[in-house]
Amino acid sequence: AKPQPNFVGVMLDDFFTGRKDGQRAKWTVDELAQFRRRLLAINQDFQIFATYYYASQVDLALGDYLDLIDVVTLWCGPKDVVNLEANLKRTEASAPKCQKMLGCYVVDYGGKRGLPLELMKLQCETGLKWLRQGRIEGIIFLGNTTMDMGFESVEWARKWIEQIADTPL
């Protein structure tokens, strides 16, 4: 990591377990703190990102963990996209020190189909609004191996990104 200028941090995907009792995350708070110290010893600018699922994690007592995380990436499944605003407000309250990035699914993995176009549009337009308001730092699109499978939601997202690429934030 030291000689790589484009290496900016570490992403802890599916780090939080979603459990209210017992093990709340893959590591203990002490293990995360030790990891953070080791990471920052390499480069003081490195950041720790963590996946944060609205539905199963926003109401958990994770403050001790979130104090050690720089950026939470906010994700919700298709059923919860309509609640983006309420969920961001809850996340702002539960993770006030963390930077936030909106995670946008392009596929409904549970339904094994492209995300319905109206939900794709809602995610993207809401994310752009939040970027302009300074409430989030970025938007992430998760496509895994599905970006070239012909989903309408993917094609719409590509065109949308192209259209707004030069939009001042």
Side-chain angles (χ1 to χ4, degrees), residues 16-99:
F16 299 113
T17 64
R19 296 182 192 151
K20 292 182 180 180
D21 298 319
Q23 185 180 354
R24 298 172 293 153
K26 302 292 182 180
W27 297 338
T28 67
V29 173
D30 289 340
E31 289 169 329
L32 179 59
Q34 180 182 22
F35 176 77
R36 182 176 181 80
R37 284 190 298 275
R38 290 177 58 208
L39 186 68
L40 295 178
I42 296 168
N43 182 331
Q44 282 293 314
D45 294 328
F46 282 170
Q47 293 186 307
I48 297 176
F49 294 69
T51 303
Y52 198 61
Y53 296 105
Y54 291 122
S56 63
Q57 297 169 345
V58 73
D59 292 326
L60 297 178
L62 298 172
D64 47 353
Y65 282 99
L66 295 171
D67 286 342
L68 298 167
I69 291 172
D70 301 293
V71 183
V72 290
T73 63
L74 312 170
W75 299 89
C76 65
K79 295 175 187 170
D80 209 30
V81 170
V82 295
N83 299 316
L84 285 173
E85 184 63 40
N87 287 327
L88 179 61
K89 285 181 182 177
R90 291 169 58 205
T91 302
E92 289 168 331
S94 66
K97 297 177 189 173
C98 295
Q99 296 176 44

Side-chain angles (χ1 to χ4, degrees), residues 1-22:
K2 281 183 184 181
Q4 301 300 323
N6 62 341
F7 188 88
V8 298
V10 174
M11 175 67 184
L12 302 176
D13 190 24
D14 294 334
F15 179 71
F16 299 113
T17 64
R19 296 182 192 151
K20 292 182 180 180
D21 298 319

Side-chain angles (χ1 to χ4, degrees), residues 128 131-132 157-169:
L128 181 59
L131 278 167
R132 288 180 172 147
R158 284 183 174 139
K159 289 177 185 171
W160 179 80
I161 292 167
E162 192 174 295
Q163 289 171 355
I164 64 136
D166 297 323
T167 301
L169 301 173

Side-chain angles (χ1 to χ4, degrees), residues 119-137:
L119 297 180
M120 190 74 232
K121 291 176 182 180
L122 179 61
Q123 287 183 121
C124 292
E125 294 299 329
T126 301
L128 181 59
K129 178 181 80 171
W130 291 345
L131 278 167
R132 288 180 172 147
Q133 294 171 343
R135 293 174 72 192
I136 64 172
E137 279 65 44

Side-chain angles (χ1 to χ4, degrees), residues 106-121:
V106 297
V107 172
D108 172 358
Y109 291 99
K112 297 181 182 175
R113 62 188 175 116
L115 193 71
L117 209 49
E118 67 275 5
L119 297 180
M120 190 74 232
K121 291 176 182 180

